[in-house]
Each structure stands twice: as structure tokens, then as C-alpha cells.
Amino acid sequence: MPGFEVFGDEERKQVNDVLESGILMRYGFDGMRNGHWKAREFETAFAERMQSNHCQLVSSGTSALTVALASAGIGAGDEVIMPTFTFVASFESIMMLGAVPVLVDIDDTLTMDPKAVEAAITPRTRCIMPVHMCGSMADLGALKEICSKYNLLLLEDACQALGGTYEGKPLGSYGDMGCFSFDFVKTITCGEGGAVISNFDHYITNADQYQDHGHDHVGNDRGAETHPHLGYNFRISELNAAVGLAQLSKLDDILAIQKKHYDIMREALDGVTGVTFRRVPETGEENYSFLNFFMPDEATAQIAHSALTEAGIDGCFYWYTNNWHYINGWEHLRDLKSLGTLPSEITEQIQDLNDTDFSQSDHWMSRTISCLVKIGWTEEEVRARAEKMKEALSGR
Ligand SMILES: *Cc1c(COP(=O)(O)O)cnc(C)c1O
């Protein structure tokens, strides 16, 4: 998964372009920047790679989600449906706007179950936010149908699945908007950074303004610009964008290596008693950043995870109890522990998350193990690793 494994001269050269002029900001200072517009260049290149009309870079994946929601006019009291298995950014970005996260069960895709989504819709629902966890996607076709039927926004969190596809389209480009993270452990990294993509002009115009204090970005006198609406500062810096530009040129190589390593590991585990693989929706192709599999039940999954750890296989996760990507780990959300008073829309409308039945999610998560696919391994190392995994899981 991590682009940081291939950090090198290309990144240093891009950053040096910016350091030589000293213009670290993405806007203005036209005469002093030696023609370098790294953020703009990255946006054009990323939109093209993602087969989307537009890209807006921002400061993180979390801010990308907030900016996307804000750009669609989502605000206080609006409900956004999200899965129980995800990164905490999902509910953070929703609650930042006073909107209300509505958590629904996942299925054997390890992403939101379309049936659970439809059952959670109320007159206040505005958006469905699937999260393509650990390299593979939600059932986007089914979710799109639900969105059309109820007139809802489909916002894809593709932060963990950059480069995967569905119906031949890059993940993130299938819904109304898609969000990406370029934090330090993602498929490509800027250090810190994120992106929103969309084919809709009005969302990206709103995003462009919202992420920069509402500036309309018309003309070339920043001080004289008007502000069509309130905004915030979620800007990316030129230094971060410069790193991202170099990383983007390495994306297809990263994906090819991930797939090669994934295939070797998957082949080794195929046929091991008790091991089954996560379902990938029809027409979908993973980005191969993780190999995800199920054990028959919670007890065997616990034993398998310990066996992998004991065999020295690092980077295998048992999310159900050992991590904070599942609702079990979100005590601060379940108990609404906030530094200040939360908007009343949230406190009045939110589910009692300590007392909601997520047994369907528990069923899948308690059996799931996800193993990271690294790109720095040699083929020999991957084969040795795959063999060790097979032995550990076979109980030998
Ligand atoms: C990493 C991640 C984010 C947030 O990205 P940051 O850049 O770290 O803020 C959001 N959603 C998912 C699924 C992620 O993995």
C-alpha cells in the first residue's frame, strides 16, 4: 500500500522546484513562482488519471470528506449513512458540519450492506457514504440505485482503494463525488493531503471556494476577491502537492507490484482449510493493497491471528478487537465524548450506539483478518512470506 516505500529523487526534485522560488502557497505570487503551480498541476493530472472532470486538492482525506459534504450543501441535522467498519474520519467529517452520522451494517464485502442502507433512510437522509475499505469496494451499483430512488448524494470514500475500479471506472469516480487521502500510509502520499473528485461543476466550484475561506478565485488580486459563501481553510501547500505530483507518476507501478504480491499470497492461502476470501462485487477490481480473508468463526480467527504474529508475519490486522477501525473501538463516539457542547441536532438525532444491534457486522468482523501488501518486498520474500502464512494458518 504505501507510497512512502518508493520516496526518492523524483519527489526531492519536485519539492526543490518549490523551495527554489520559496513560494509555498498554491495561490498568488504569480511573478515570483518561476511558473510552478504544483497544486494546480496535480489537480489536472489526478482528475485525468481518475477519469473525472475535476479535482480539488485539500489538506487531508478527512478534510476532503468535510469539503465534499459541505459542497453538496449538507449541514446541521442532515443524516449521512456510513458503515460500522471504516476509519474514524467518516463520522468526524460528518459531525464537523453538525450533520448526523447514521451507522449501518456491513456484509461479506466488508463494506456497507445495501439492504441495511435502504432500511436506514429517513426524510432527513441526504447522503450515502460508502467506504472502500482495505483495497476493495462497496456494491456501488446497488447503492447508486438507492440514491436515484430516494434522491440522495453518493459520496465515495476511496481513501483506501486508490486505483481500484468498478464497472471499469476508477473508484471515487462512480458516485457524485469521491474522496482520497494522501496521508503517509496511503497508496501514494504527499505527507498530508487529500482530494475531492467529481464530474459536476457546481460541487467543485463550491469545494474550491469552501476550502479557501469562501474565496471566489476570480481575477488575480486575492485581496479583492468576493466571498459567495462562508468557508474554512482546508488548503494544501505547494510543498505537499509537489511530493504528490512525483508520487502520482509512480501510481501505476505501485499498483502492478501490489497485484503481483497479492496474487502470490492469495494463491498460497487458497485451499487452506477454513480460509475464505472477502467478496468483491461483480465487475469490481481491487487495488490489492490488502489481502482480506475470513476464518470460520471468532475463535478460529483469534487463533489464526496469533499464529501469524507468532510466525513473525507483521502487518496482519484483526480489526474486531485489536484496532480502532470498527465501532468496537470507538468508545469516544458511542459515549459522545466531546471537548465542547455538540450541536443539538447531533445529540438529539444520533442512534444510541451503545445499544444498536450490529450483530451482522460483528458476524463478519469477528472472522476477518487483513494482511497488508507491501511493495518493497522482493519476489523471493513474498513467496517465503506466503508459505509461512500458509503454514501458520494450517495450524502447523
Ligand atoms: C486515511 C483515511 C481517511 C482520512 O485521511 P487523512 O488524510 O488521514 O485525514 C478517511 N477515510 C479512510 C477510509 C481512510 O483510510
Side-chain angles (χ1 to χ4, degrees):
M1 158 135 143
F4 73 75
E5 292 182 81
V6 294
F7 188 93
D9 288 342
E10 300 78 7
E11 285 78 359
R12 278 186 279 275
K13 181 187 173 305
Q14 286 286 352
V15 172
N16 271 330
D17 284 348
V18 179
L19 292 177
E20 273 160 23
S21 73
I23 304 304
L24 312 183
M25 186 183 185
R26 66 165 300 177
Y27 297 115
F29 304 92
D30 299 26
M32 296 164 66
R33 54 195 313 139
N34 299 339
H36 293 309
W37 300 89
K38 300 299 184 188
R40 247 193 234 173
E41 222 184 295
F42 188 0
E43 282 169 348
T44 305
F46 193 70
E48 192 184 325
R49 175 62 180 79
M50 291 295 119
Q51 298 171 28
S52 277
N53 290 348
H54 309 285
C55 167
Q56 176 66 52
L57 284 180
V58 289
S59 54
S60 72
T62 310
S63 52
L65 292 167
T66 297
V67 168
L69 291 167
S71 301
I74 287 168
D78 293 332
E79 291 177 0
V80 180
I81 298 178
M82 57 164 274
T84 51
F85 176 48
T86 177
F87 183 57
V88 291
S90 300
F91 56 80
E92 289 171 348
S93 59
I94 297 165
M95 293 165 83
M96 177 67 89
L97 296 167
V100 183
V102 175
L103 277 67
V104 297
D105 273 325
I106 57 156
D107 60 21
D108 57 346
T109 64
L110 296 180
T111 66
M112 54 176 35
D113 174 5
K115 288 191 291 298
V117 169
E118 191 158 14
I121 291 172
T122 76
R124 284 167 165 151
T125 309
R126 292 284 311 280
C127 172
I128 297 178
M129 191 201 274
V131 185
H132 307 315
M133 284 299 278
C134 302
S136 182
M137 77 245 44
D139 188 346
L140 285 167
L143 295 176
K144 196 168 213 167
E145 259 177 46
I146 296 172
C147 286
S148 306
K149 182 169 164 192
Y150 296 92
N151 192 26
L152 305 173
L153 184 84
L154 183 58
L155 171 57
E156 292 175 68
D157 179 341
C159 292
Q160 291 196 11
L162 172 60
T165 61
Y166 181 82
E167 287 181 8
K169 296 191 177 79
L171 293 178
S173 72
Y174 187 88
D176 298 295
M177 277 187 271
C179 290
F180 298 87
S181 164
F182 308 119
D183 80 20
F184 196 56
V185 295
K186 295 303 203 280
T187 304
I188 61 172
T189 183
C190 295
E192 300 284 357
V196 182
I197 60 169
S198 182
N199 286 326
F200 294 102
D201 299 357
H202 57 288
Y203 291 145
I204 293 295
T205 302
N206 287 347
D208 169 55
Q209 296 170 351
Y210 185 78
Q211 58 88 41
D212 185 23
H213 305 292
H215 275 274
D216 66 7
H217 298 139
V218 175
N220 54 9
D221 178 1
R222 193 168 163 80
E225 289 177 8
T226 66
H227 305 86
H229 48 72
L230 293 167
Y232 207 80
N233 179 1
F234 289 118
R235 290 189 306 258
I236 194 164
S237 88
E238 281 289 275
L239 288 170
N240 295 84
V243 176
L245 254 182
Q247 288 260 305
L248 184 57
S249 69
K250 302 180 179 183
L251 174 61
D252 290 320
D253 288 341
I254 291 174
L255 293 171
I257 298 169
Q258 279 182 175
K259 174 160 171 44
K260 185 174 155 208
H261 292 178
Y262 173 105
D263 285 345
I264 292 171
M265 286 160 60
R266 172 138 181 173
E267 202 177 301
L269 300 198
D270 212 3
V272 172
T273 312
V275 172
T276 51
F277 296 96
R278 164 197 202 163
R279 178 167 65 88
V280 176
E282 242 174 83
T283 80
E285 177 160 13
E286 303 181 59
N287 84 343
Y288 305 107
S289 54
F290 283 89
L291 176 64
N292 304 279
F293 56 92
F294 303 120
M295 295 304 291
D297 54 34
E298 180 178 350
T300 46
Q302 296 261 17
I303 292 167
H305 184 246
S306 303
L308 289 167
T309 308
E310 274 158 33
I313 306 292
D314 58 344
C316 288
F317 301 97
Y318 183 60
W319 312 107
Y320 186 54
T321 50
N322 293 3
N323 214 287
W324 71 327
H325 284 51
Y326 186 56
I327 186 169
N328 281 349
W330 304 333
E331 192 190 318
H332 61 320
L333 172 68
R334 285 186 272 117
D335 294 342
L336 289 182
K337 288 185 190 160
S338 170
L339 289 174
T341 307
L342 287 168
S344 56
E345 288 85 355
I346 293 177
T347 52
E348 281 162 21
Q349 282 171 241
I350 199 165
Q351 297 150 291
D352 179 354
L353 291 170
N354 283 310
D355 196 30
T356 308
D357 177 14
F358 291 122
S359 48
Q360 181 182 316
S361 302
D362 289 342
H363 171 77
W364 294 110
M365 287 314 295
S366 64
R367 301 170 50 192
T368 299
I369 294 175
S370 304
C371 294
L372 201 58
V373 176
K374 286 206 180 163
I375 55 180
W377 296 324
T378 63
E379 184 171 333
E380 226 177 8
E381 283 169 334
V382 189
R383 292 201 183 278
R385 186 184 175 88
E387 215 36 55
K388 261 187 171 177
M389 287 172 71
K390 181 178 176 176
E391 278 173 25
L393 294 172
S394 307
R396 271 185 274 147

PDB file of all heavy atoms in Angstrom, residues 7 28 33 57 71 111 162 199 229 268 286 292 391 394:
ATOM      1  N   PHE A   7       9.656   6.606  -2.035  1.00  0.00           N
ATOM      2  CA  PHE A   7      10.086   8.007  -1.993  1.00  0.00           C
ATOM      3  C   PHE A   7      11.519   8.105  -2.515  1.00  0.00           C
ATOM      4  O   PHE A   7      12.373   7.314  -2.144  1.00  0.00           O
ATOM      5  CB  PHE A   7      10.017   8.523  -0.545  1.00  0.00           C
ATOM      6  CG  PHE A   7      10.249  10.002  -0.418  1.00  0.00           C
ATOM      7  CD1 PHE A   7       9.175  10.889  -0.421  1.00  0.00           C
ATOM      8  CD2 PHE A   7      11.535  10.508  -0.303  1.00  0.00           C
ATOM      9  CE1 PHE A   7       9.387  12.251  -0.309  1.00  0.00           C
ATOM     10  CE2 PHE A   7      11.749  11.877  -0.196  1.00  0.00           C
ATOM     11  CZ  PHE A   7      10.686  12.750  -0.197  1.00  0.00           C
ATOM     12  N   GLY A  28      -1.618  32.840  -5.930  1.00  0.00           N
ATOM     13  CA  GLY A  28      -0.988  34.157  -5.998  1.00  0.00           C
ATOM     14  C   GLY A  28       0.517  34.144  -6.206  1.00  0.00           C
ATOM     15  O   GLY A  28       1.098  33.116  -6.526  1.00  0.00           O
ATOM     16  N   ARG A  33       7.002  32.833  -8.787  1.00  0.00           N
ATOM     17  CA  ARG A  33       6.978  31.385  -8.569  1.00  0.00           C
ATOM     18  C   ARG A  33       7.621  30.572  -9.698  1.00  0.00           C
ATOM     19  O   ARG A  33       7.484  29.335  -9.727  1.00  0.00           O
ATOM     20  CB  ARG A  33       5.559  30.914  -8.270  1.00  0.00           C
ATOM     21  CG  ARG A  33       4.507  31.303  -9.284  1.00  0.00           C
ATOM     22  CD  ARG A  33       3.088  31.119  -8.722  1.00  0.00           C
ATOM     23  NE  ARG A  33       2.921  29.850  -8.079  1.00  0.00           N
ATOM     24  CZ  ARG A  33       2.265  29.641  -6.933  1.00  0.00           C
ATOM     25  NH1 ARG A  33       1.673  30.626  -6.309  1.00  0.00           N
ATOM     26  NH2 ARG A  33       2.166  28.453  -6.435  1.00  0.00           N
ATOM     27  N   LEU A  57      -7.766  19.622  -4.626  1.00  0.00           N
ATOM     28  CA  LEU A  57      -6.869  19.153  -3.576  1.00  0.00           C
ATOM     29  C   LEU A  57      -7.174  19.873  -2.276  1.00  0.00           C
ATOM     30  O   LEU A  57      -7.554  21.049  -2.284  1.00  0.00           O
ATOM     31  CB  LEU A  57      -5.412  19.438  -3.947  1.00  0.00           C
ATOM     32  CG  LEU A  57      -4.746  18.546  -4.984  1.00  0.00           C
ATOM     33  CD1 LEU A  57      -3.314  19.012  -5.204  1.00  0.00           C
ATOM     34  CD2 LEU A  57      -4.776  17.088  -4.572  1.00  0.00           C
ATOM     35  N   SER A  71     -19.814  20.965   0.183  1.00  0.00           N
ATOM     36  CA  SER A  71     -20.038  21.408  -1.199  1.00  0.00           C
ATOM     37  C   SER A  71     -21.396  20.981  -1.728  1.00  0.00           C
ATOM     38  O   SER A  71     -21.938  21.595  -2.640  1.00  0.00           O
ATOM     39  CB  SER A  71     -18.949  20.841  -2.112  1.00  0.00           C
ATOM     40  OG  SER A  71     -17.700  21.281  -1.660  1.00  0.00           O
ATOM     41  N   THR A 111     -17.905  -3.887   3.368  1.00  0.00           N
ATOM     42  CA  THR A 111     -18.377  -2.512   3.197  1.00  0.00           C
ATOM     43  C   THR A 111     -19.893  -2.516   3.405  1.00  0.00           C
ATOM     44  O   THR A 111     -20.490  -3.572   3.615  1.00  0.00           O
ATOM     45  CB  THR A 111     -18.058  -1.971   1.790  1.00  0.00           C
ATOM     46  OG1 THR A 111     -18.821  -2.720   0.856  1.00  0.00           O
ATOM     47  CG2 THR A 111     -16.584  -2.102   1.459  1.00  0.00           C
ATOM     48  N   LEU A 162      -7.421   3.591  -3.718  1.00  0.00           N
ATOM     49  CA  LEU A 162      -6.956   4.331  -4.894  1.00  0.00           C
ATOM     50  C   LEU A 162      -6.438   3.356  -5.953  1.00  0.00           C
ATOM     51  O   LEU A 162      -5.583   2.519  -5.658  1.00  0.00           O
ATOM     52  CB  LEU A 162      -5.837   5.304  -4.484  1.00  0.00           C
ATOM     53  CG  LEU A 162      -5.088   6.022  -5.609  1.00  0.00           C
ATOM     54  CD1 LEU A 162      -6.011   6.859  -6.464  1.00  0.00           C
ATOM     55  CD2 LEU A 162      -3.969   6.877  -5.041  1.00  0.00           C
ATOM     56  N   ASN A 199     -17.602  14.929 -11.413  1.00  0.00           N
ATOM     57  CA  ASN A 199     -17.906  15.367 -12.779  1.00  0.00           C
ATOM     58  C   ASN A 199     -18.828  16.569 -12.783  1.00  0.00           C
ATOM     59  O   ASN A 199     -19.141  17.092 -13.841  1.00  0.00           O
ATOM     60  CB  ASN A 199     -18.546  14.225 -13.575  1.00  0.00           C
ATOM     61  CG  ASN A 199     -17.514  13.179 -13.954  1.00  0.00           C
ATOM     62  OD1 ASN A 199     -16.359  13.505 -14.204  1.00  0.00           O
ATOM     63  ND2 ASN A 199     -17.927  11.926 -13.964  1.00  0.00           N
ATOM     64  N   HIS A 229     -19.909  32.602  -0.211  1.00  0.00           N
ATOM     65  CA  HIS A 229     -20.452  31.954   0.997  1.00  0.00           C
ATOM     66  C   HIS A 229     -19.337  31.741   2.002  1.00  0.00           C
ATOM     67  O   HIS A 229     -18.153  31.922   1.673  1.00  0.00           O
ATOM     68  CB  HIS A 229     -21.145  30.629   0.660  1.00  0.00           C
ATOM     69  CG  HIS A 229     -20.333  29.742  -0.236  1.00  0.00           C
ATOM     70  ND1 HIS A 229     -19.206  29.077   0.186  1.00  0.00           N
ATOM     71  CD2 HIS A 229     -20.463  29.446  -1.554  1.00  0.00           C
ATOM     72  CE1 HIS A 229     -18.695  28.399  -0.818  1.00  0.00           C
ATOM     73  NE2 HIS A 229     -19.421  28.610  -1.888  1.00  0.00           N
ATOM     74  N   ALA A 268      -1.264 -18.907  -2.280  1.00  0.00           N
ATOM     75  CA  ALA A 268      -0.770 -19.760  -1.195  1.00  0.00           C
ATOM     76  C   ALA A 268      -1.890 -20.110  -0.214  1.00  0.00           C
ATOM     77  O   ALA A 268      -1.946 -21.217   0.307  1.00  0.00           O
ATOM     78  CB  ALA A 268       0.388 -19.078  -0.475  1.00  0.00           C
ATOM     79  N   GLU A 286     -10.032  -4.914  -7.214  1.00  0.00           N
ATOM     80  CA  GLU A 286      -9.397  -4.315  -6.043  1.00  0.00           C
ATOM     81  C   GLU A 286      -8.149  -3.522  -6.431  1.00  0.00           C
ATOM     82  O   GLU A 286      -7.641  -3.674  -7.541  1.00  0.00           O
ATOM     83  CB  GLU A 286      -8.952  -5.430  -5.071  1.00  0.00           C
ATOM     84  CG  GLU A 286     -10.055  -6.339  -4.619  1.00  0.00           C
ATOM     85  CD  GLU A 286      -9.538  -7.409  -3.645  1.00  0.00           C
ATOM     86  OE1 GLU A 286      -9.007  -7.032  -2.592  1.00  0.00           O
ATOM     87  OE2 GLU A 286      -9.689  -8.588  -3.952  1.00  0.00           O
ATOM     88  N   ASN A 292      -7.576  -9.758   2.236  1.00  0.00           N
ATOM     89  CA  ASN A 292      -8.577  -9.881   3.303  1.00  0.00           C
ATOM     90  C   ASN A 292      -9.233 -11.249   3.241  1.00  0.00           C
ATOM     91  O   ASN A 292      -9.681 -11.678   2.182  1.00  0.00           O
ATOM     92  CB  ASN A 292      -9.670  -8.817   3.114  1.00  0.00           C
ATOM     93  CG  ASN A 292      -9.095  -7.414   3.048  1.00  0.00           C
ATOM     94  OD1 ASN A 292      -8.796  -6.813   4.069  1.00  0.00           O
ATOM     95  ND2 ASN A 292      -8.931  -6.886   1.834  1.00  0.00           N
ATOM     96  N   GLU A 391       1.489 -21.998   6.358  1.00  0.00           N
ATOM     97  CA  GLU A 391       1.799 -22.917   7.460  1.00  0.00           C
ATOM     98  C   GLU A 391       1.115 -22.493   8.748  1.00  0.00           C
ATOM     99  O   GLU A 391       0.509 -23.307   9.444  1.00  0.00           O
ATOM    100  CB  GLU A 391       3.315 -22.972   7.692  1.00  0.00           C
ATOM    101  CG  GLU A 391       4.018 -23.901   6.743  1.00  0.00           C
ATOM    102  CD  GLU A 391       5.541 -23.810   6.893  1.00  0.00           C
ATOM    103  OE1 GLU A 391       6.012 -23.421   7.986  1.00  0.00           O
ATOM    104  OE2 GLU A 391       6.231 -24.110   5.918  1.00  0.00           O
ATOM    105  N   SER A 394      -2.518 -23.168   8.577  1.00  0.00           N
ATOM    106  CA  SER A 394      -2.854 -24.592   8.511  1.00  0.00           C
ATOM    107  C   SER A 394      -2.679 -25.248   9.862  1.00  0.00           C
ATOM    108  O   SER A 394      -2.882 -26.446  10.020  1.00  0.00           O
ATOM    109  CB  SER A 394      -1.966 -25.312   7.487  1.00  0.00           C
ATOM    110  OG  SER A 394      -2.025 -24.660   6.252  1.00  0.00           O
TER     111      SER A 394
END
